[in-house]
Amino acid sequence: MKSVTQRARDLRRRFHVKPHAAVDLEALDPAETSHVGDKETAKAQTEEDALAIDALQDRLFAEGRRALLVILQGMDTSGKDGTTRAVFGRTGPLGVSVTSFKKPSEVELSHDFLWRVHKACPQRGTIGIFNRSQYEDVLIGRVRKLASREVIEHRYEQINAFEDMISSSTHIVKFMLHISKDEQKERLQSRLDNPDKNWKFDPSDVAERKLWDDYLRAYETMLQRCSTAIAPWYVIPADKKWARNAAVATIVRATLEEMDPQYPKVDFDPAAITID
Amino acid sequence: MKSVTQRARDLRRRFHVKPHAAVDLEALDPAETSHVGDKETAKAQTEEDALAIDALQDRLFAEGRRALLVILQGMDTSGKDGTTRAVFGRTGPLGVSVTSFKKPSEVELSHDFLWRVHKACPQRGTIGIFNRSQYEDVLIGRVRKLASREVIEHRYEQINAFEDMISSSTHIVKFMLHISKDEQKERLQSRLDNPDKNWKFDPSDVAERKLWDDYLRAYETMLQRCSTAIAPWYVIPADKKWARNAAVATIVRATLEEMDPQYPKVDFDPAAITID
């Protein structure tokens, strides 16, 4: 197996969105797997990375100075939940918080769009995972015209400024899980065919699916405008779950290794303390 | 192996605190392990129970009607973090939230003592774990005389009323992790001896330890006053980590099995939907 550093370098070369670079999502094959090897290798590597992430999280928690925020975006059924489980399923529950952003409540709507996001940011020492995020406000917000074009245009800058603000204590990494329209069809169909999965199906998903191309354009604009040096976007091929999980796990692990959290020094002399 | 139902029945018979019953913690051996068999069996059973809890949590989430709140209390080093990891380490991160209650902030102190607790209660479909809880306000609150005796006395009823209130959507189960004073000494000492664990040592723990007997009395009062039909307390022998984990995992699993969450019926006909 390649080292995590090598693997992360390869993945970043292929899937990192360079700041300001135009993105053509149709040119990126969602079924691509060559970056993670065969299925068996990828699964073993994901498990190894998940265990390493747990150990790194322990140090992050002990250090208590920085947080990691992982943002997951993607079309319906792209696997945001599954990725969370595969990558963070080995991390102690104490150090991980997952926030699923749904349709905003009345109270949330009565604030600026980043208010509920800020509240959910992870505290120092922990990993926060956003299942959907502030980016919904430039995705569904743009496609469904939930705000004027001027307001939407302004939001890209507001998001960048917001991420810059929280970056003083929080490291940020963002993944768009990129699936094909055909793969989505299969996944939606399996929710209909399997009675235990029916509850996951939302009839409104069919309506959103009809706007597929509009969403792709909104994602492309978002990626171009909001992949920054302090908060990079990655586009991860996600038709194959195992390839998707392996790529995200490697980048998260490499990010934590680069953060290199340290057990803190204490301000007392352990040898001088007696416990009666 | 015995079924989870049998195991839970045995554990409840031995460790459940009956409402209003007086508790003598000194009569309960913290090193007891006979209820879980040998170490190897207990560990295998914990892993099996943790996987079952994950599957049950999935159904709880799908159902979306009820939450489970697990409260962990115990002296310093009694293993609240370790129990969380052993019992919920297999549960998908999406469905679990852990709240560690520390010394209240100024804002928290400017509210009633249950305000911060209510905010942290788990939403329907999820499992919430409280690492310390409202009970600190009748433990350290009582021992350190942080409020008058009248105020403390009133809190037991306030807590019972609060738990009754949230029980409309939330199932509650409460564990006191019971360790011996000798075992605590060993665990504190190992935090001093191991440089990577120094950060876990708080010199104030030594001062609290001197009040051991006062804390035991405060625990006994709490157990007697706040073990109710809708929110039972269990006293779990916790000198042996594997025995502690096995007992908590079994009771949590049995509780979820009794809740018996169901995949919800949908209000549309899956067969009538076509995905283009």
Side-chain angles (χ1 to χ4, degrees):
Chain A
M1 279 189 194
K2 290 186 199 169
S3 75
V4 62
T5 311
Q6 285 173 306
R7 284 186 278 128
R9 193 170 48 222
D10 292 349
L11 291 169
R12 283 168 170 159
R13 190 171 43 74
R14 294 178 66 169
F15 303 121
H16 171 232
V17 179
K18 289 187 186 58
H20 313 298
V23 178
D24 177 3
L25 285 172
E26 265 120 353
L28 285 163
D29 181 5
E32 180 69 59
T33 64
S34 64
H35 50 291
V36 290
D38 63 30
K39 186 172 179 177
E40 206 179 328
T41 309
K43 283 190 150 186
Q45 210 148 62
T46 302
E47 180 68 4
E48 187 196 296
D49 286 343
L51 291 168
I53 288 167
D54 177 39
L56 286 156
Q57 203 289 323
D58 211 57
R59 280 162 51 190
L60 190 73
F61 188 83
E63 183 190 77
R65 291 199 303 110
R66 293 170 293 172
L68 174 65
L69 173 60
V70 177
I71 292 181
L72 300 175
Q73 285 285 162
M75 302 282 199
D76 292 327
T77 76
S78 61
K80 298 178 286 293
D81 290 356
T83 302
T84 300
R85 173 179 280 272
V87 177
F88 299 102
R90 290 299 200 160
T91 313
L94 195 63
V96 177
S97 65
V98 184
T99 307
S100 298
F101 289 96
K102 301 184 195 307
K103 197 175 161 183
S105 69
E106 279 196 43
V107 172
E108 288 168 349
L109 284 171
S110 76
H111 291 270
D112 70 90
F113 78 103
L114 291 164
W115 179 78
R116 66 173 186 159
V117 178
H118 206 169
K119 278 210 300 181
C121 284
Q123 62 191 56
R124 292 173 206 262
T126 69
I127 299 175
I129 298 145
F130 282 1
N131 182 328
R132 305 184 186 273
S133 66
Q134 59 267 31
Y135 288 101
E136 289 297 319
D137 292 283
V138 293
L139 291 168
I140 191 169
R142 187 180 185 103
V143 170
R144 290 291 189 178
K145 297 184 175 54
L146 303 179
S148 73
R149 180 54 70 109
E150 291 69 33
V151 166
I152 300 280
E153 286 299 316
H154 193 189
R155 284 183 183 163
Y156 299 105
E157 295 155 42
Q158 289 171 321
I159 289 173
N160 289 343
F162 171 77
E163 293 179 356
D164 181 66
M165 172 179 69
I166 67 170
S167 72
S168 58
S169 63
T170 304
H171 216 90
I172 306 168
V173 59
K174 305 181 290 201
F175 298 99
M176 180 210 168
L177 308 180
H178 182 39
I179 56 166
S180 65
K181 201 173 175 185
D182 287 346
E183 178 67 20
Q184 187 191 57
K185 182 178 179 175
E186 278 189 32
R187 294 186 187 182
L188 287 174
Q189 192 61 52
S190 88
R191 290 181 180 180
L192 291 171
D193 296 344
N194 181 341
D196 281 356
K197 284 189 180 173
N198 283 176
W199 65 277
K200 288 189 179 179
F201 187 89
D202 181 343
S204 77
D205 294 347
V206 178
E208 292 305 297
R209 178 173 163 79
K210 290 196 203 304
L211 299 166
W212 186 270
D213 290 342
D214 294 339
Y215 273 103
L216 279 189
R217 296 297 87 74
Y219 269 103
E220 287 171 347
T221 305
M222 172 198 90
L223 294 164
Q224 180 173 15
R225 303 276 290 272
C226 296
S227 193
T228 59
I230 56 116
W233 268 112
Y234 295 91
V235 179
I236 305 294
D239 272 7
K240 301 293 178 198
K241 295 173 183 176
W242 50 272
R244 172 200 75 199
N245 295 342
V248 173
T250 293
I251 294 171
V252 168
R253 176 181 174 183
T255 302
L256 281 164
E257 291 199 351
E258 289 150 12
M259 289 172 75
D260 193 22
Q262 300 294 325
Y263 289 107
K265 299 253 181 298
V266 292
D267 58 1
F268 53 84
D269 174 11
I273 293 176
T274 309
I275 300 163
D276 295 317
Chain B
M1 279 189 195
K2 290 187 198 167
S3 76
V4 63
T5 312
Q6 285 173 307
R7 283 186 277 128
R9 192 170 47 223
D10 292 349
L11 291 169
R12 282 169 171 158
R13 190 173 42 76
R14 295 178 67 169
F15 304 121
H16 171 233
V17 179
K18 289 188 186 57
H20 312 298
V23 177
D24 177 3
L25 286 172
E26 264 120 352
L28 286 162
D29 182 4
E32 179 68 58
T33 64
S34 64
H35 50 292
V36 291
D38 63 31
K39 187 172 180 177
E40 207 178 328
T41 309
K43 283 189 149 186
Q45 211 148 60
T46 303
E47 180 69 3
E48 188 196 296
D49 286 343
L51 291 169
I53 289 167
D54 177 39
L56 287 157
Q57 202 288 321
D58 211 57
R59 280 163 51 191
L60 191 74
F61 189 83
E63 184 190 76
R65 292 199 302 111
R66 294 170 292 173
L68 174 65
L69 173 60
V70 177
I71 292 182
L72 300 175
Q73 284 286 161
M75 303 279 200
D76 293 327
T77 77
S78 60
K80 299 177 285 293
D81 291 357
T83 302
T84 301
R85 173 180 279 273
V87 178
F88 300 102
R90 289 300 199 159
T91 314
L94 196 63
V96 177
S97 65
V98 184
T99 307
S100 298
F101 289 96
K102 300 183 196 306
K103 198 176 161 184
S105 68
E106 278 196 44
V107 172
E108 288 167 350
L109 284 172
S110 76
H111 291 269
D112 69 89
F113 78 103
L114 291 164
W115 179 79
R116 65 173 185 161
V117 178
H118 207 170
K119 278 209 301 179
C121 284
Q123 63 190 56
R124 291 172 207 264
T126 69
I127 299 174
I129 299 145
F130 283 181
N131 182 326
R132 306 185 185 276
S133 67
Q134 59 267 31
Y135 289 100
E136 288 298 319
D137 293 284
V138 292
L139 291 168
I140 191 168
R142 187 179 185 103
V143 171
R144 289 292 190 177
K145 299 184 173 54
L146 303 179
S148 73
R149 178 55 68 112
E150 291 68 32
V151 166
I152 300 278
E153 286 298 317
H154 192 187
R155 284 183 184 163
Y156 299 105
E157 296 155 42
Q158 290 171 319
I159 288 172
N160 289 342
F162 171 78
E163 293 179 356
D164 181 66
M165 171 180 68
I166 67 170
S167 72
S168 58
S169 63
T170 304
H171 217 89
I172 305 167
V173 58
K174 305 180 291 201
F175 298 99
M176 182 210 167
L177 309 180
H178 181 40
I179 55 168
S180 64
K181 201 173 175 186
D182 286 347
E183 179 66 20
Q184 186 190 58
K185 182 177 180 175
E186 277 188 34
R187 294 186 187 182
L188 287 174
Q189 192 62 51
S190 88
R191 291 182 179 181
L192 291 172
D193 296 343
N194 181 341
D196 281 356
K197 283 189 180 172
N198 282 176
W199 66 279
K200 289 188 179 178
F201 186 89
D202 181 343
S204 77
D205 294 347
V206 178
E208 293 306 296
R209 179 173 163 79
K210 290 194 202 307
L211 300 166
W212 187 271
D213 291 342
D214 295 338
Y215 273 104
L216 279 188
R217 298 295 88 72
Y219 270 103
E220 287 170 347
T221 305
M222 171 197 91
L223 293 164
Q224 180 173 15
R225 303 276 289 272
C226 297
S227 194
T228 59
I230 56 116
W233 267 113
Y234 296 90
V235 179
I236 304 294
D239 272 8
K240 300 293 179 200
K241 294 174 183 175
W242 50 271
R244 172 199 76 199
N245 295 342
V248 174
T250 293
I251 294 170
V252 168
R253 177 181 173 183
T255 302
L256 282 163
E257 290 199 350
E258 288 150 13
M259 290 172 74
D260 193 22
Q262 299 296 323
Y263 289 107
K265 299 254 182 295
V266 293
D267 58 1
F268 55 84
D269 175 9
I273 292 176
T274 309
I275 299 162
D276 294 318

